[in-house]
Amino acid sequence: MTEAKKLYVKTYGCQMNVYDSERMAETLGVQGYIQVDTAEAADMILLNTCHIREKAAEKLYSDLGRLKPLHDEKPDLKIGVAGCVAQAEGGEIMRRMPIVDLVVGPQTYHRLPAMMEALDRGETALDTEFPEEDKFAHLPKGRGTHKGPTAFLTVQEGCDKFCSFCVVPYTRGAEVSRPADRLLREARDLVERGVREITLLGQNVNAYHGAGSDGAEWGLARLVRDLARIDGLDRIRYTTSHPNDMEDDLIAAHGDCAKLMPYLHLPVQSGSDRILKAMNRKHTADSYLRVIERLRAARPDLVLSGDFIVGFPGESESDFQATLDLVRSVGYGSAYTFKYSPRPGTPAAERAQVDAAEADDRLQRLQALITEQQRATQAAMVGRTVQVLFEKPGRMTGQVTGKSDYLHAVHVDGPETLIGSVAPVEIVATNTNSLAGRLVARG
Ligand code: SAH
Ligand code: SF4
Ligand code: F3S
């Protein structure tokens, strides 16, 4: 019997990449690869990369540099680069780093089996097309390698919005939505494998407009409502959504669909209308705040999160103050803050840049405000009973941890048999990035 070939996958970037990594591992699984946890143990290494900021993209090259000695030791070791850097840089990666044998973009990884055959013939393989065919239709049907009670499910890919700072429309291509019946099938398969919570993914997930099972076009709200009818699926989330695609029926679903969790990541980027215009966001601070108002009217306890860029070209101190004002009026449960990073090929990269020290200072001031809001949101949970989906053993023996409805990490003293189930927990204390709770006896 020949020994199974071993695959090590490293994932950078967003949840979409996490999903893609899982699907690539499944595809290579059909080719006889099993996954291992270290690069040293592998016959094939796949780096699934992110191009969103300069630092993210550079990580690929520092990791490839670190893999060089391993490659020298094991000349048969195959190294592949997937994801958004692969799409953006293509064959340049192999020229810069000759240890790379394979480069595959986010829209062509269903062709990995044929590409692996090329490697077996001693060739290299490069495919960064945006093909006509639907890659999902060519991937293995079942989600055989998925483990754990939570899963991602990509429902929409790509972006047509072209914010002036962002590479995603170039690395992921145009907006495409998957047909609802395939998504329902994939969701049922995941639930049969023990999944209790599904997070629907898309670069603009609420721009979902897919062919419905009834022949009509469905928006995200209709998809969520149909998924909610799957027995055994307890929780639905979605990310990342765009404020301009927050349609009435989706807002309504937050109020009347019990399985849709009360947490929403809704990036705004800036609180200054001048900067939002320069970013080509096509919304104002006020229109964003009105969307939040409507969401909160539907679901008063909704916890919000966001993304912010500071130091965007042309941002003045008063523009930045407008961002702080917006953050104060929303009151976020958490948020991601980024310093603007000029990206090749995007319009904003050509503009005069904000002084780096000034941008660092703004980043710190914004982070301080967000940390304060995060603490306040967590402190307000103390004394409340929340529902926790337990995912894994805790750091201390005898503990288990999971996520609350509001996506807070919660740990309790309790048996590992809780993993995979939802149970009521009374929150007793708040730590820096998690909550401590006590299991509530069910009446
Ligand atoms: N599709 C999502 C976000 C995708 S990228 C949306 O539209 O909101 C995730 C986040 O990275 C963005 O929300 C933005 O805050 C940040 N980002 C994107 N490009 C960036 C850049 N050039 N510099 C700094 N941050 C960036
Ligand atoms: Fe990037 Fe803007 Fe598209 Fe989000 S909406 S992926 S930030 S271009
Ligand atoms: Fe990064 Fe591509 Fe996701 S650039 S954030 S991996 S869509």
Side-chain angles (χ1 to χ4, degrees):
M1 200 178 95
T2 53
E3 211 184 322
K5 292 173 281 184
K6 299 187 183 74
L7 169 72
Y8 172 68
V9 185
K10 180 168 174 179
T11 308
Y12 315 64
C14 63
Q15 290 106 324
M16 194 85 73
N17 265 10
V18 175
Y19 176 84
D20 290 339
S21 287
E22 207 170 292
R23 302 306 310 260
M24 288 192 276
E26 282 160 9
T27 304
L28 292 173
V30 177
Q31 303 268 290
Y33 278 92
I34 55 160
Q35 269 196 88
V36 291
D37 295 333
T38 63
E40 288 71 23
D43 304 304
M44 166 88 195
I45 296 174
L46 200 52
L47 305 173
N48 193 13
T49 59
C50 174
H51 200 244
I52 200 81
R53 284 166 291 274
E54 193 181 0
K55 261 200 195 127
E58 274 175 358
K59 240 190 214 149
L60 167 67
Y61 291 102
S62 55
D63 280 359
L64 285 172
R66 266 198 294 277
L67 287 173
K68 176 93 180 30
L70 187 66
H71 188 268
D72 290 345
E73 226 173 84
K74 283 170 78 171
D76 288 341
L77 176 66
K78 301 280 180 252
I79 299 181
V81 176
C84 290
V85 182
Q87 190 62 46
E89 298 184 2
E92 186 54 34
I93 298 170
M94 291 179 185
R95 279 189 284 281
R96 196 168 150 188
M97 286 290 186
I99 59 169
V100 174
D101 307 281
L102 176 150
V103 172
V104 62
Q107 301 308 345
T108 44
Y109 64 73
H110 58 295
R111 295 176 179 166
L112 270 171
M115 297 177 78
M116 297 302 287
E117 282 168 24
L119 299 200
D120 288 341
R121 293 193 300 269
E123 298 163 16
T124 57
L126 167 70
D127 194 340
T128 55
E129 257 187 69
F130 286 115
E132 285 293 315
E133 78 263 17
D134 171 9
K135 80 171 170 246
F136 297 105
H138 293 82
L139 292 170
K141 290 276 172 298
R143 296 289 303 277
T145 57
H146 183 82
K147 290 194 188 73
T150 64
F152 292 131
L153 173 54
T154 294
V155 305
Q156 179 280 345
E157 280 199 285
C159 181
D160 297 340
K161 298 217 160 40
F162 292 93
C163 298
S164 61
F165 51 81
C166 184
V167 293
V168 170
Y170 311 98
T171 63
R172 293 276 171 168
E175 286 179 6
V176 180
S177 297
R178 298 177 63 191
D181 56 349
R182 303 240 185 90
L183 296 170
L184 288 159
R185 203 185 309 139
E186 194 172 324
R188 278 188 219 105
D189 184 60
L190 287 165
V191 170
E192 274 164 27
R193 292 171 202 279
V195 167
R196 310 292 298 270
E197 172 182 304
I198 292 181
T199 302
L200 309 178
L201 298 182
Q203 266 91 25
N204 276 295
V205 70
N206 56 344
Y208 177 85
H209 281 287
S213 323
D214 56 2
E217 192 180 85
W218 288 9
L220 189 64
R222 178 66 203 272
L223 181 64
V224 165
R225 288 181 196 283
D226 262 55
L227 286 164
R229 294 190 353 220
I230 299 177
D231 283 336
L233 179 63
D234 295 327
R235 297 172 147 193
I236 301 169
R237 304 179 188 276
Y238 61 91
T239 200
T240 297
S241 39
H242 192 286
N244 290 358
D245 293 319
M246 217 58 205
E247 287 170 7
D248 293 346
D249 54 352
L250 187 57
I251 294 177
H254 278 278
D256 61 35
C257 179
K259 289 186 181 182
L260 188 57
M261 291 292 103
Y263 169 97
L264 183 64
H265 182 64
L266 194 62
V268 63
Q269 315 299 350
S270 168
S272 154
D273 287 344
R274 214 173 61 82
I275 294 300
L276 287 169
K277 193 157 196 293
M279 287 176 162
N280 193 32
R281 289 287 296 182
K282 300 194 179 80
H283 59 75
T284 61
D286 193 55
S287 68
Y288 176 80
L289 292 172
R290 281 205 310 273
V291 170
I292 302 245
E293 226 168 73
R294 287 162 58 216
L295 280 160
R296 281 185 167 148
R299 183 79 205 226
D301 60 343
L302 187 73
V303 168
L304 284 149
S305 122
D307 288 341
F308 294 90
I309 295 177
V310 301
F312 184 80
E315 185 189 68
S316 66
E317 176 62 24
S318 78
D319 292 317
F320 176 67
Q321 288 297 333
T323 298
L324 294 179
D325 287 344
L326 178 139
V327 171
R328 283 189 202 103
S329 56
V330 172
Y332 287 95
S334 66
Y336 300 89
T337 52
F338 306 105
K339 191 164 85 161
Y340 171 69
S341 168
R343 306 306 292 129
T346 60
E350 312 297 322
R351 302 177 193 162
Q353 304 296 308
V354 166
D355 175 67
E358 185 58 44
D360 281 328
D361 182 62
R362 287 178 196 165
L363 188 65
Q364 277 184 18
R365 285 187 282 157
L366 179 58
Q367 272 168 349
L369 176 60
I370 302 244
T371 303
E372 202 179 287
Q373 295 193 340
Q374 183 180 332
R375 285 206 186 116
T377 308
Q378 288 185 197
M381 292 288 162
V382 176
R384 286 183 58 179
T385 295
V386 296
Q387 301 297 320
V388 175
L389 171 56
F390 289 99
E391 294 175 25
K392 55 185 181 203
R395 258 187 286 165
M396 320 266 217
T397 41
Q399 277 191 345
V400 279
T401 83
K403 297 274 166 56
S404 77
D405 340 31
Y406 306 98
L407 208 60
H408 286 126
V410 179
H411 55 89
V412 302
D413 289 333
E416 281 189 22
T417 48
L418 281 170
I419 293 170
S421 66
V422 178
V425 169
E426 186 196 342
I427 302 302
V428 294
T430 164
N431 309 319
T432 315
N433 284 311
S434 66
L435 301 169
R438 180 191 306 130
L439 287 166
V440 177
R442 271 186 251 223

